Amino acid sequence: MKQFTLQPDSNPQKPTNFLNQLNEQQKKAASHVNGPLLIIAGAGSGKTRVLTYRIAHLLQKQYALPQNILALTFTNKAAREMQERIQDLIGEKAGGLWMGTFHSIFSKILRFEADKIGYNSQYSIYDTTDAENAIKLILKELNYDPREIRPRTIQHKISDAKNQLISPEQYQHRFVQSTLDDITARVFQIYAKRLKQANAMDFDDLLIKPIELLEEHPDVLEKYQDRFRYIMIDEYQDTNHAQYKVTRLLADKYQNICVVGDDAQSIYSFRGADISNILNFKNDYDDALEVPLEQNYRSTKFILQCADSIIKKNEKQLDKTLWTDNEDGDTVTLLENFDERDEANRIVNYINDLKLRHGYQNNDFAILYRTNYQSRIFEESLRRRGITYQLVGGLSFYQRKEIKDVLAYLTLLVNPEDEQALLRIINEPSRGIGNKTLNQLLKKARATGQSVWTILHDVESADIYKPAKAKIADFIHMIESLKEMLETGTPVLDVTKKMLEKSGYLKALVEENDAKALTRRDNVLELQNAIAYYQQNTKNPKLSNFLQEINLITDSDKYDEDKPAVTLMTVHASKGLEFPVIFIVGLEENLFPMGPREGEEANIEEERRLFYVAITRAEKQLFFSFSKLRYKYGEEQRQARSRFLDEVDSGVVRTETGATIQQKNNHFEESGGNDGSTTIEYEHNWKSPIHSKKPSETSSTYEYEYDDDPFRTGAQVMHPKFGAGKIIQRSGSGKDTRVVVFFKNRGQKTLMLRAAKLKVLS
């Protein structure tokens, strides 16, 4: 193993004492210089601090120059924070670091070396939507109906293959086991060729093309090995096989690789993350030093005890036990709700109550859920109470149609071969180039093997409608004139404004003159603000670099921690964040933990790690919440509470009344009815102090029945179609009264009482 160090400065201008601010384990990791290093960093143990101080130490002691350090993160936000902290510690010496996400760093390398793998430096980056659109077009050309063979499904399968470094040819010969696999193989072959022809790469290519580059060009590999003598990787447990391979190649010469991660927080297997990368690190690097960081600075003792009790149930894990000097804090509160509307209303009541009693602000709260669709009911409840919120993981600003349209125009100015960008805006707004014309152009492009942009320049020879030829000529002239403006040094913002004017895009939105169109216009104007900001804050602003930054924004980068709003997000999106108060909602079987996807086995260990991540986001107070009933597929269905509630340490979890939780597998009591059917008895404690109103006012329309009402909860009934059953829930009043009946042979049904033709059995 080769080692490389610069000699420490014998008379440094600034004394180095910042390592004394670390605890002993942190200091041990941050002061390690040569050789592989594995830092097992538990939740809230200061891993970002350690990485920051280690880089600052290498630079301050002159073991490395800034350009010799490669620091890889999973969010741009993490990279920016680390850069700022290093700057604060050592000042100008931090300039020139290679620090950023895997995708941003390797896309930068590929810009420099693109010609070696058959691309030019102005290549486009396809996001998931662009990739799906390209695949949709291929499916149509292969005579498959995209409504039956979903482009998203094919895209996922291709992405999985790429992340495992499986080529289209390998997929065709070794991985076809079904009709869908066969279709995927055919699409994969064509898709790869189309990307190359369009001078475009998708997100997965940004990881696998560097491997191709480094393996096929030993001189390039040695160049970057010598440049990146010290490599640091954050969140190593989230790396996939391609990320593992490319960093292994770069680290092979000097082996000064430092990885930081927590196997207990490995939650991205659906994206191809491979937990074995961190579990096997010491097998890959025999002489690796392992440093565990076990002191938690974030959470109270009770929250940490709760987290530790759940993660200890997993079998595959590295040995560590978190501890803290923080106070005991409040026990975890378990909320047991009637249905999802009750759950949302009660949590909003808690938020208001905690703000009054403890002085919390809106941005001190986060509501975490397993799936995005759960946000709707919380959004409604927060809006009704006038509480500002931010939704993380919804439709991104840069994914809105009008923004994608404008970006497609700008993309053509740097890469006119980009077929997806061209097809998106050649007739947007309408300029008389219809689908029939486009289909003819595509047909000729496929037959000749040329790009659509090349075909457009020879449109006179094409067999298409004559007026469309004139429109195409006008379109080409517009794009070429805008390209010329850009190439002669006209600022990006000015080119954008001229493009919006010449294309008529902004004018078309104004002329629509409805609320939605005006909102879209405002979004386009906001994009101009983003371009202006980029232009003013970048030394050498280039349109291609701006487009690259936009394409590489991650979900975590969309979270604004300074916004005075309650945060709604999935648990996946919350990773790396922390809040004083956390509500983990929907803790029910087949929701959290999520049930297995079709054709797959349930990954309970990963679901448990996901629950652990959710728990460890909390600093001071933590709430668990589940509902006994939940709407699914248009009908209310009974829910079994999550098995995780039976696994946590019951000593640190209390119900709202202060009682310890009863750990059992199902919160419904089942008994046999007179008709032999299974009936369900349901109880709910309406005496919680958080219920400031009667149940009918806080959670939909639940009301108590009068004694002389025959259709009461528990009544045995007969339905002319469904047979015998038992009323298990009742809501509404008068003509709007609804009942939920559990029928022996037909299961649970929600019925309007006035139309159900029910008869009470004596």
Side-chain angles (χ1 to χ4, degrees):
M1 178 179 72
K2 297 184 180 181
Q3 299 290 354
F4 167 85
T5 64
L6 291 172
Q7 291 301 313
D9 191 345
S10 59
N11 185 26
Q13 295 179 353
K14 186 176 180 182
T16 307
N17 58 9
F18 49 76
L19 291 186
N20 293 331
Q21 301 169 21
L22 304 177
N23 67 38
E24 286 306 309
Q25 288 299 95
Q26 290 175 333
K27 189 174 181 179
K28 182 179 180 182
S31 60
H32 180 78
V33 176
N34 289 316
L37 173 63
L38 170 63
I39 304 174
I40 305 299
S45 63
K47 69 178 179 61
T48 303
R49 184 181 178 91
V50 171
L51 270 181
T52 300
Y53 278 55
R54 184 168 190 264
I55 294 172
H57 177 66
L58 289 171
L59 294 174
Q60 181 75 358
K61 291 293 187 179
Q62 297 190 20
Y63 290 113
L65 296 172
Q67 60 266 31
N68 296 138
I69 297 175
L70 172 62
L72 296 166
T73 67
F74 275 82
T75 68
N76 297 302
K77 177 175 177 286
R80 284 194 301 270
E81 287 180 355
M82 288 173 60
Q83 184 84 48
E84 290 167 3
R85 291 187 192 183
I86 296 168
Q87 192 85 25
D88 290 341
L89 286 172
I90 61 171
E92 294 180 1
K93 291 183 180 180
L97 285 168
W98 281 64
M99 180 178 293
T101 65
F102 276 89
H103 291 90
S104 65
I105 291 294
F106 287 110
S107 66
K108 183 178 177 181
I109 291 173
L110 289 170
R111 296 278 177 202
F112 292 134
E113 313 291 348
D115 61 308
K116 295 181 177 62
I117 54 172
Y119 286 80
N120 73 53
S121 62
Q122 302 298 316
Y123 66 82
S124 299
I125 299 174
Y126 279 11
D127 63 17
T128 304
T129 302
D130 299 325
E132 287 178 13
N133 287 337
I135 288 169
K136 182 178 180 180
L137 184 59
I138 294 169
L139 285 169
K140 287 181 177 179
E141 292 173 4
L142 293 175
N143 295 317
Y144 292 110
D145 186 346
R147 292 170 298 183
E148 295 180 3
I149 307 297
R150 297 175 62 204
R152 177 170 296 183
T153 301
I154 303 296
Q155 191 271 331
H156 283 169
K157 291 178 78 67
I158 291 174
S159 178
D160 288 344
K162 284 188 171 186
N163 284 322
Q164 295 174 57
L165 305 182
I166 299 168
S167 69
E169 294 74 21
Q170 290 170 325
Y171 194 95
Q172 175 71 58
H173 293 108
R174 293 166 46 196
F175 296 92
V176 174
Q177 298 177 347
S178 66
T179 301
L180 184 61
D181 288 338
D182 183 58
I183 296 171
T184 300
R186 297 175 65 190
V187 172
F188 195 0
Q189 293 266 3
I190 300 170
Y191 176 66
K193 292 176 182 176
R194 293 277 169 86
L195 282 172
K196 192 74 171 285
Q197 187 178 55
N199 191 37
M201 300 185 197
D202 62 20
F203 284 159
D204 301 312
D205 288 328
L206 297 180
L207 299 178
I208 64 173
K209 294 298 181 183
I211 297 172
E212 177 184 325
L213 170 71
L214 298 176
E215 288 187 330
E216 293 180 1
H217 299 274
D219 58 323
V220 176
L221 173 60
E222 187 166 15
K223 179 175 80 170
Y224 285 102
Q225 285 177 334
D226 287 337
R227 170 170 289 178
F228 302 134
R229 298 172 188 258
Y230 289 90
I231 298 172
M232 277 165 265
I233 307 172
D234 193 13
E235 305 286 7
Y236 193 62
Q237 77 281 347
D238 292 332
T239 53
N240 60 29
H241 184 59
Q243 290 163 327
Y244 165 83
K245 182 69 177 291
V246 71
T247 51
R248 186 87 194 269
L249 283 168
L250 289 172
D252 189 54
K253 186 173 183 179
Y254 296 101
Q255 300 217 352
N256 292 325
I257 180 170
C258 165
V259 302
V260 184
D262 181 5
D263 57 298
Q265 297 184 67
S266 179
I267 59 174
Y268 291 112
S269 67
F270 67 95
R271 293 183 186 171
D274 187 351
I275 193 174
S276 68
N277 290 346
I278 192 168
L279 296 178
N280 296 333
F281 182 81
K282 294 187 74 174
N283 294 332
D284 293 332
Y285 301 92
D286 294 336
D287 56 343
L289 173 67
E290 179 177 333
V291 180
L293 303 181
E294 298 177 307
Q295 182 174 0
N296 177 282
Y297 293 92
R298 177 186 300 155
S299 305
T300 63
K301 283 187 172 72
F302 282 152
I303 290 173
L304 207 57
Q305 188 176 336
C306 180
D308 193 60
S309 68
I310 191 72
I311 202 61
K312 286 290 195 267
K313 301 294 190 299
N314 272 5
E315 294 181 5
K316 297 178 181 177
Q317 58 180 298
L318 297 170
D319 185 42
K320 64 182 173 302
T321 300
L322 295 187
W323 61 276
T324 185
D325 281 335
N326 294 340
E327 62 184 4
D328 288 347
D330 294 335
T331 53
V332 180
T333 303
L334 176 65
L335 308 181
E336 186 176 3
N337 307 289
F338 173 65
D339 59 14
E340 65 263 51
R341 191 172 298 278
D342 181 34
E343 179 178 51
N345 288 335
R346 297 177 71 207
I347 285 173
V348 172
N349 283 344
Y350 262 105
I351 289 172
N352 274 333
D353 183 68
L354 290 168
K355 284 164 66 177
L356 288 172
R357 289 195 288 118
H358 297 289
Y360 288 125
Q361 303 299 310
N362 283 341
N363 58 347
D364 291 326
F365 299 93
I367 300 172
L368 307 183
Y369 36 78
R370 181 62 180 80
T371 59
N372 275 309
Y373 75 79
Q374 291 172 260
S375 71
R376 179 188 62 83
I377 199 75
F378 292 99
E379 291 184 73
E380 291 177 0
S381 188
L382 289 164
R383 280 199 300 266
R384 281 198 301 270
R385 302 296 291 273
I387 298 176
T388 306
Y389 67 89
Q390 63 172 323
L391 181 66
V392 179
L395 181 65
S396 162
F397 174 80
Y398 292 104
Q399 289 297 320
R400 298 179 188 277
K401 178 189 180 302
E402 61 276 12
I403 302 303
K404 291 279 287 182
D405 288 345
V406 175
L407 293 176
Y409 270 106
L410 296 177
T411 296
L412 279 189
L413 304 187
V414 295
N415 180 21
E417 301 297 327
D418 188 331
E419 183 177 288
Q420 284 304 304
L422 177 60
L423 294 177
R424 184 179 187 98
I425 49 83
I426 192 171
N427 198 42
E428 183 66 54
S430 178
R431 53 175 60 93
I433 307 173
N435 287 336
K436 184 177 180 181
T437 298
L438 288 177
N439 287 335
Q440 289 171 319
L441 292 170
L442 282 169
K443 186 176 180 180
K444 184 173 182 180
R446 303 300 180 242
T448 61
Q450 296 176 303
S451 70
V452 177
W453 180 250
T454 301
I455 297 297
L456 290 180
H457 283 76
D458 189 31
V459 72
E460 285 300 326
S461 66
D463 183 22
I464 59 175
Y465 189 47
K466 189 172 182 179
K469 293 182 180 181
K471 298 295 182 182
I472 290 172
D474 291 342
F475 175 78
I476 291 176
H477 177 72
M478 176 186 67
I479 297 298
E480 296 286 8
S481 63
L482 291 168
K483 278 183 65 181
E484 186 177 350
M485 286 180 63
L486 194 66
E487 290 165 358
T488 54
T490 305
V492 176
L493 182 60
D494 293 345
V495 173
T496 303
K497 289 179 177 178
K498 181 60 71 173
M499 178 273 291
L500 290 169
E501 176 192 328
K502 284 192 168 189
S503 66
Y505 193 89
L506 209 55
K507 181 182 177 183
L509 290 177
V510 173
E511 288 177 348
E512 282 187 45
N513 198 32
D514 62 25
K516 289 183 178 179
L518 293 177
T519 298
R520 291 198 293 271
R521 181 205 63 183
D522 290 344
N523 287 338
V524 172
L525 296 177
E526 180 60 29
L527 177 62
Q528 291 187 49
N529 293 337
I531 294 171
Y533 181 84
Y534 166 78
Q535 213 165 255
Q536 292 168 9
N537 292 275
T538 306
K539 288 183 180 179
N540 184 25
K542 293 181 180 179
L543 178 56
S544 58
N545 291 343
F546 173 75
L547 293 171
Q548 175 176 304
E549 286 188 15
I550 295 305
N551 278 316
L552 297 177
I553 289 175
T554 67
D555 284 345
S556 297
D557 295 319
K558 299 165 194 170
Y559 165 65
D560 183 358
E561 62 185 5
D562 296 321
K563 186 174 182 179
V566 174
T567 300
L568 302 177
M569 58 170 56
T570 64
V571 181
H572 281 101
S574 75
K575 191 162 174 294
L577 303 177
E578 55 189 35
F579 299 85
V581 185
I582 290 285
F583 296 89
I584 306 174
V585 303
L587 283 168
E588 299 141 31
E589 283 296 299
N590 295 317
L591 182 55
F592 201 176
M594 182 72 75
R597 293 183 175 89
E598 185 177 352
E600 299 179 6
E601 295 182 2
N603 189 343
I604 293 301
E605 291 224 342
E606 178 153 326
E607 290 290 313
R608 195 175 284 115
R609 292 194 294 267
L610 191 60
F611 186 42
Y612 173 83
V613 166
I615 292 171
T616 53
R617 300 311 94 199
E619 296 174 343
K620 297 182 181 301
Q621 290 185 271
L622 175 63
F623 294 80
F624 295 155
S625 178
F626 72 94
S627 297
K628 293 188 172 185
L629 295 166
R630 186 174 295 273
Y631 265 97
K632 291 184 177 179
Y633 312 111
E635 291 188 353
E636 274 189 324
Q637 297 181 13
R638 59 176 178 148
Q639 298 292 99
R641 78 181 190 187
S642 172
R643 73 188 71 182
F644 295 155
L645 295 176
D646 301 320
E647 294 180 352
V648 296
D649 185 344
S650 60
V652 296
V653 183
R654 296 288 186 272
T655 66
E656 293 168 279
T657 61
T660 57
I661 61 171
Q662 296 181 8
Q663 295 190 326
K664 49 189 178 179
N665 291 330
N666 196 316
H667 63 277
F668 288 98
E669 299 291 341
E670 297 191 352
S671 61
N674 294 334
D675 58 357
S677 65
T678 301
T679 59
I680 304 153
E681 299 294 343
Y682 169 73
E683 294 181 359
H684 188 79
N685 175 18
W686 293 110
K687 297 180 181 180
S688 165
I690 294 301
H691 283 294
S692 57
K693 300 179 181 180
K694 292 180 180 179
S696 58
E697 296 172 311
T698 57
S699 60
S700 65
T701 55
Y702 186 94
E703 293 186 356
Y704 299 104
E705 301 95 7
Y706 293 105
D707 288 341
D708 59 353
D709 188 337
F711 296 101
R712 290 177 291 179
T713 301
Q716 303 286 339
V717 294
M718 179 65 71
H719 187 275
K721 181 178 179 181
F722 303 136
K726 183 176 181 178
I727 297 176
I728 60 173
Q729 181 199 342
R730 174 178 169 136
S731 61
S733 61
K735 65 179 182 179
D736 294 323
T737 303
R738 291 184 308 160
V739 291
V740 178
V741 183
F742 188 85
F743 294 99
K744 177 182 178 181
N745 297 319
R746 302 299 292 272
Q748 185 174 299
K749 302 290 181 183
T750 302
L751 307 169
M752 295 297 293
L753 192 56
R754 59 187 165 87
K757 298 181 181 179
L758 288 176
K759 291 183 179 180
V760 177
L761 299 175
S762 56

